[in-house]
């Protein structure tokens, strides 16, 4: 039996109210995806009756998955980052808006037309590397990730977006680039403490544990990234890392201990410490 768009959205709102504070917004996203229509179409035609039973079945399945707490990005298999539609699977962390700050800080240190090489550690879906590669087409980007499934997702995104100046390699941290040096290294490593009570239950349940958590204080991965950066940075090269909103002071101390200069922490749009950066010394400077 045909059902009006408004009725389908209403049914979704009723079921999603338990898991989100934006049930209408999410119901519209899921219905638009099921119908392969833009959200604007739904809002302009609320009284239209949907005759496509397969589409309504898809919508109901989407709503059921979301009602159980599964993130929309995994349900739809896609998440936008830096105005790019990225494929995401449960093998990779869902890109967050605050991670765009790491891209902004990296770009601030990379001249628009200068050639060079940039390394993205713990690349996941490839979000950071792909954003930089698109903005700086003369640069060569290399992304590494320990998870083979994540590397496959990143390579798929590079192919889908037709971004040629990026390469993804499988391996732990710097292992895939043993003797290589870069003008800039950027990373959004796992940085959440294992017992952090602020982590939402569904984040723990659905997103890859290894991409989120990093020991009892959340700093294990950051220690590795920062301590080894000097062996892979060119003179005057920059290290930019994302970290937790309460880790700015600790990360600056890691940068200082590693010998990086001009160390500073930048805040995200929410006013929270989010990225720390520093420069590898130039001999004789």
């Amino acid at each position: 039996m045909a059902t009006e768009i408004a009725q389908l959205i209403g049914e979704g709102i009723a079921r999603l109210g338990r898991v989100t504070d934006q049930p209408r917004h999410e119901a519209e996203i899921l219905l638009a995806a099921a119908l392969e229509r833009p959200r604007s179409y739904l809002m302009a035609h609320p009284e239209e009756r949907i005759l496509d039973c397969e589409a309504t079945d898809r919508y109901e399945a989407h709503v059921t998955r979301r009602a159980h707490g599964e993130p929309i990005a995994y349900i739809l298999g896609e998440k936008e980052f830096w105005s790019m539609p990225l494929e995401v699977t449960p093998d990779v962390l869902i890109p967050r808006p605050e991670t765009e700050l790491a891209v902004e800080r990296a770009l601030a240190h990379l001249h628009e037309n200068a050639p060079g090489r940039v390394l993205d550690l713990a690349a996941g879906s490839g979000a950071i590397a792909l954003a930089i590669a698109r903005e700086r087409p003369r640069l060569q980007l290399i992304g590494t990730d320990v998870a083979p499934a994540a590397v496959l997702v990143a390579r798929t995104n590079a192919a889908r977006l037709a971004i040629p100046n990026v390469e993804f390699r499988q391996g732990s941290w710097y292992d895939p680039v043993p003797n290589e040096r870069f003008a800039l290294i950027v990373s959004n490593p796992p940085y959440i403490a294992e017992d952090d009570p602020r982590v939402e239950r569904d984040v723990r349940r659905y997103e890859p544990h290894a991409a989120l958590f990093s020991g009892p204080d959340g700093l294990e991965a950051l220690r590795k990234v920062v301590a080894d950066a000097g062996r892979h940075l060119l003179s005057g090269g920059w290290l930019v890392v994302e970290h937790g909103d309460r880790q700015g002071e600790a990360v600056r101390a890691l940068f200082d201990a590693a010998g990086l200069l001009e160390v500073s922490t930048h805040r995200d749009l929410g006013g929270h410490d989010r990225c720390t950066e520093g420069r590898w010394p130039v001999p004789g400077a």
Side-chain angles (χ1 to χ4, degrees):
M1 183 176 65
T3 309
E4 290 184 357
I5 285 175
Q7 181 180 339
L8 290 168
I9 292 174
E11 292 170 356
I13 292 171
R15 297 182 62 190
L16 298 179
R18 298 183 299 105
V19 296
T20 176
D21 57 2
Q22 295 182 304
R24 173 175 291 278
H25 176 77
E26 294 194 6
E28 289 172 352
I29 289 175
L30 294 174
L31 182 56
L35 296 176
E36 298 181 343
R37 297 272 195 172
R39 283 182 61 218
S40 58
Y41 181 88
L42 307 185
M43 292 180 278
H45 303 86
E47 297 179 357
E48 180 176 327
R49 299 176 69 82
I50 303 302
L51 301 175
D52 186 344
C53 293
E54 291 185 2
T56 55
D57 287 347
R58 281 196 301 272
Y59 172 64
E60 291 175 3
H62 289 168
V63 169
T64 296
R65 291 170 65 182
R66 182 67 186 118
H68 283 94
E70 185 174 355
I72 285 181
Y74 290 152
I75 295 170
L76 302 184
E78 188 172 283
K79 178 69 174 180
E80 184 174 290
F81 180 85
W82 203 261
S83 299
M84 301 181 299
L86 296 178
E87 176 183 307
V88 293
T89 74
D91 296 306
V92 299
L93 194 69
I94 298 170
R96 266 67 170 182
E98 55 264 31
T99 298
E100 293 193 350
L101 178 60
V103 177
E104 293 172 6
R105 294 312 309 160
L107 292 173
H109 301 300
L110 297 167
H111 296 299
E112 188 167 348
N113 295 313
R117 302 172 76 239
V118 173
L119 176 64
D120 176 15
L121 298 170
S125 65
I128 292 176
L130 290 164
I132 295 172
R134 194 179 69 168
E135 297 294 332
R136 299 288 188 267
R138 293 195 65 190
L139 292 176
Q140 179 62 40
L141 275 289
I142 295 176
T144 71
D145 201 289
V146 70
V151 172
L152 179 60
V153 172
R155 289 172 177 168
T156 299
N157 279 322
R160 289 177 64 200
L161 294 167
I163 298 177
N165 56 318
V166 63
E167 171 190 354
F168 294 100
R169 303 178 186 177
Q170 191 272 324
S172 177
W173 303 115
Y174 296 98
D175 288 353
V177 291
N179 301 307
E180 300 177 52
R181 290 185 178 267
F182 301 86
L184 184 141
I185 298 171
V186 62
S187 183
N188 175 21
Y191 55 72
I192 301 175
E194 292 281 357
D195 61 352
D196 190 333
R198 299 184 298 162
V199 181
E200 297 177 5
R201 182 191 64 179
D202 292 333
V203 171
R204 287 185 181 272
R205 180 180 178 188
Y206 287 101
E207 299 198 51
H209 186 277
L212 291 166
F213 299 98
S214 189
D217 61 359
L219 293 171
E220 285 186 2
L222 282 159
R223 289 190 185 98
K224 173 69 173 176
V225 169
V226 177
D228 293 346
R231 290 196 286 271
H232 297 277
L233 281 171
L234 295 169
S235 296
W238 286 88
L239 174 65
V240 178
V241 300
E242 180 176 329
H243 53 73
D245 58 357
R246 300 176 181 178
Q247 294 174 327
E249 182 177 358
V251 175
R252 288 193 298 274
L254 293 177
F255 274 56
D256 291 337
L260 289 147
L261 307 177
E262 302 176 46
V263 177
S264 62
T265 297
H266 297 264
R267 294 183 174 182
D268 60 25
L269 293 176
H272 305 296
D273 284 358
R274 187 60 59 191
C275 283
T276 292
E277 62 186 42
R279 192 171 194 175
W280 191 245
V282 176

